[in-house]
Amino acid sequence: MTEALHPHLSVLLQQAVENNAPELCTFPIEKARKLYQVNAATLASEPPKIGKTQDKTIIGEDGDLPLRIYWPDECRESGLPVLVYFHGGGWCLGNIDSYDHICRWLAAHSGCVVVSVNYRMGPEHQFPAAVDDAILTTQWVADNAADIGVDAERIGVGGDSAGANLAAVVALIMRDKPTVSIKAQLLIYPATDMRMSAESHQTLGEGYRLTRSMMVWSVVNYLRDGSNVFDFRASPLLANDHANLPPAMVLTAGFDPLRDEGEAYANKLRDSGVPVEYVCYADMIHGFI
C-alpha cells in the first residue's frame, strides 16, 4: 500500500484544516443533514446521461418509503439486472438526492437498473429500522420486477459505508430466508464491525475526513444500546456463518478508519468459499466514491 495520499485529497484535507471546518457531529442532526447535502453537491462530478428516472413511494413499516429508480438507457429493455443501492451517511445522514449522481453513474456504467431508497435513519428511527427498510425494498423490487423491467433472478445489493453495511446484512438475511435470490453484493468501504476495534480505527481515526468522533456519533445515533454491536444485523462481520453468500466486490480506501474491517469482511467471505474481488484504493480516503 502506498504511503501517500492522492495529491488532490491532500489539498482538500489541508483546506479543511485551514478553514477550521467543524465536524458534522458537532451540529444538531437537521443542520448536519443540510451540510451533508451541501457537501455532496459540492464534491459531485457531472452526472452521466441515462435513460430515465422515476420517483416512487412504497408502503413501509412506518409510512411512505421513497424510492428513486434509474434506467440505464432510453430503450428500457425488459429483464435487465438490478442493483438495490443503500446510501451512506452513518445511518443518520444522506438521502436519495445526495447520492443521485452516484446512482446515475452506476446505472450508466453497469447497464443495471438502480433502485435507491430513503431508508429510515437514527436518531429518530433507530436499529433495526434501516435494516427492515432495506429488506422491504429488496423484496419489493423482486415482487415488482416485471413492472420495472428487471429480472427477479438477477438482483444485486450494494451501498457505501453505512449503506454497504445494510447491503451485507440484506445478503445474510436473504440467504437464510430466501424469498429473494441475491446474486451479487457491492460493498464500498463497508462498516462491518460496530465494535470499532480494528487497528485502522486507531491509526486513521483523525485527519482523514471520517474521524473516530464521527463514527462514535453515528453508532450512538443508530443503535439503541451497546449490546446491539454484537447483533449480526449491525455487525455483519460477527455473523455465525458467511458461507453460501452472493459473490462480492469489496472496495476500501487506504486512509480510511474502516479499511481493516472492510478487508476483514472480504477475507471472511473468501475463507467461507464466497467468490470475492477485493480492491484497496491505497491513496484514497473514506467517501472517495
Side-chain angles (χ1 to χ4, degrees), residues 79-86 103 106 110-117 134-135 137-142 145 148 150-159 163-164 166-172 174 180-187 245-249:
L80 289 173
V82 57
L83 177 70
V84 186
Y85 194 84
F86 309 111
C103 291
L106 286 168
S110 70
C112 292
V113 173
V114 176
V115 178
S116 180
V117 55
I135 292 292
T137 302
T138 307
Q139 185 69 58
W140 180 88
V141 168
I148 61 175
V150 303
D151 184 350
E153 296 301 317
R154 290 198 291 167
I155 297 175
V157 291
L166 295 174
V169 171
V170 169
L172 283 160
M174 290 299 188
V180 179
S181 178
I182 305 297
K183 290 299 194 292
Q185 45 184 329
L186 170 64
L187 310 179
L245 286 168
M249 175 176 280

Side-chain angles (χ1 to χ4, degrees), residues 72-204:
D73 53 49
E74 292 287 356
C75 66
R76 286 189 58 180
E77 303 172 45
S78 61
L80 289 173
V82 57
L83 177 70
V84 186
Y85 194 84
F86 309 111
H87 67 77
W91 307 275
C92 56
L93 305 173
N95 56 27
I96 286 174
D97 290 333
S98 57
Y99 278 77
D100 182 76
H101 64 293
I102 291 175
C103 291
R104 288 175 185 272
W105 192 94
L106 286 168
H109 292 281
S110 70
C112 292
V113 173
V114 176
V115 178
S116 180
V117 55
N118 268 355
Y119 56 84
R120 290 172 294 169
M121 299 189 295
E124 300 92 338
H125 304 283
Q126 291 184 305
F127 174 84
V131 173
D132 293 341
D133 288 352
I135 292 292
L136 189 151
T137 302
T138 307
Q139 185 69 58
W140 180 88
V141 168
D143 293 344
N144 294 272
D147 292 339
I148 61 175
V150 303
D151 184 350
E153 296 301 317
R154 290 198 291 167
I155 297 175
V157 291
D160 61 289
S161 194
N165 168 281
L166 295 174
V169 171
V170 169
L172 283 160
I173 291 174
M174 290 299 188
R175 176 201 60 187
D176 298 331
K177 298 179 180 178
T179 56
V180 179
S181 178
I182 305 297
K183 290 299 194 292
Q185 45 184 329
L186 170 64
L187 310 179
I188 304 170
Y189 31 80
T192 67
D193 186 353
M194 293 292 194
R195 296 174 300 177
M196 295 186 288
S197 56
E199 182 180 355
S200 57
H201 278 284
Q202 314 309 317
T203 58
L204 300 170

Side-chain angles (χ1 to χ4, degrees), residues 7-17 43 209 285:
H8 291 174
L9 292 176
S10 296
V11 171
L12 188 69
L13 294 174
Q14 183 59 37
Q15 287 174 343
V17 170
L43 294 172
R209 189 169 181 264
I285 62 174

Side-chain angles (χ1 to χ4, degrees), residues 127 193-195 223 225-236 238-240:
F127 174 84
D193 186 353
M194 293 292 194
R195 296 174 300 177
L223 298 184
D225 60 66
S227 66
N228 286 325
V229 300
F230 299 102
D231 190 318
F232 83 92
R233 296 172 300 166
S235 298
L238 304 184
N240 292 327

